[in-house]
Amino acid sequence: MSEQATPVFQIQRVYLKDMSLEQPNSPGILLQQEQPNVDIQLGVEATPVAEGLFEVAVTATVQTKIEDKTLFLVEAKQAGIFEIRNIPEEQMGGVIGVACPQIIYPYLRATVADIVTRAGFPPVHLAEINFQAMYEQQNAAAAAQTEGTVQ
């Protein structure tokens, strides 16, 4: 087997790409004793950077509210640059949509917990994510949408 055909999957770098924290109703809202509602949204995106290099980013948006007032809003985007070469095309989606986010996500979880703690609140620990199930669900939704538009 030639060296050129050998599959390559390497992490080049993991980094925090974007981070924001807002506490628009402080300090008044901090005196409220009610338990806030917490809404967490996650997203995964991938962008080719160069031949065989991809940036994969996982974004978390955590918003806590008491009634209709925001207690805090955290948005964090953790990214990584991955060298991916000589992987069969049918396997690339799984590598980029599952393997890469699984590597990045623990860093994102730590970042979110840290920034929320630094903001003066108990840490928000993002739940473990099954990126394989998330990837399969997105593919099924895309296939259903394609089917719906074809008919």
Side-chain angles (χ1 to χ4, degrees):
M1 196 172 199
S2 71
E3 188 177 317
Q4 235 177 354
T6 303
V8 175
F9 178 77
Q10 293 183 12
I11 305 166
Q12 298 294 321
R13 175 167 292 181
V14 175
Y15 55 97
L16 181 62
K17 185 164 182 160
D18 190 19
M19 165 64 74
S20 72
L21 166 68
E22 297 174 26
Q23 294 187 53
N25 295 299
S26 294
I29 193 95
L30 299 175
L31 302 175
Q32 302 256 344
Q33 297 299 314
E34 293 178 52
Q35 196 67 13
N37 293 321
V38 180
D39 179 45
I40 299 172
Q41 302 292 320
L42 290 174
V44 176
E45 59 188 52
T47 310
V49 176
E51 181 64 34
L53 292 177
F54 298 85
E55 178 190 60
V56 177
V58 181
T59 304
T61 303
V62 180
Q63 184 171 24
T64 59
K65 287 184 170 187
I66 295 177
E67 295 175 8
D68 64 338
K69 292 191 179 211
T70 298
L71 187 58
F72 66 85
L73 171 66
V74 171
E75 293 178 312
K77 182 184 282 191
Q78 192 78 41
I81 298 174
F82 297 87
E83 180 179 4
I84 307 169
R85 300 181 191 275
N86 305 319
I87 305 275
E89 189 64 37
E90 65 273 6
Q91 294 176 7
M92 282 296 286
V95 171
I96 291 173
V98 178
C100 295
Q102 284 177 329
I103 292 167
I104 297 166
Y105 188 66
Y107 294 94
L108 179 64
R109 290 181 73 209
T111 298
V112 169
D114 182 55
I115 196 69
V116 170
T117 301
R118 289 175 184 266
F121 301 99
V124 171
H125 295 289
L126 301 176
E128 289 292 328
I129 299 295
N130 181 339
F131 285 100
Q132 180 69 40
M134 190 171 154
Y135 175 73
E136 289 171 4
Q137 183 181 11
Q138 288 172 341
N139 281 350
Q145 187 177 18
T146 302
E147 250 178 53
T149 56
V150 171
Q151 293 175 348

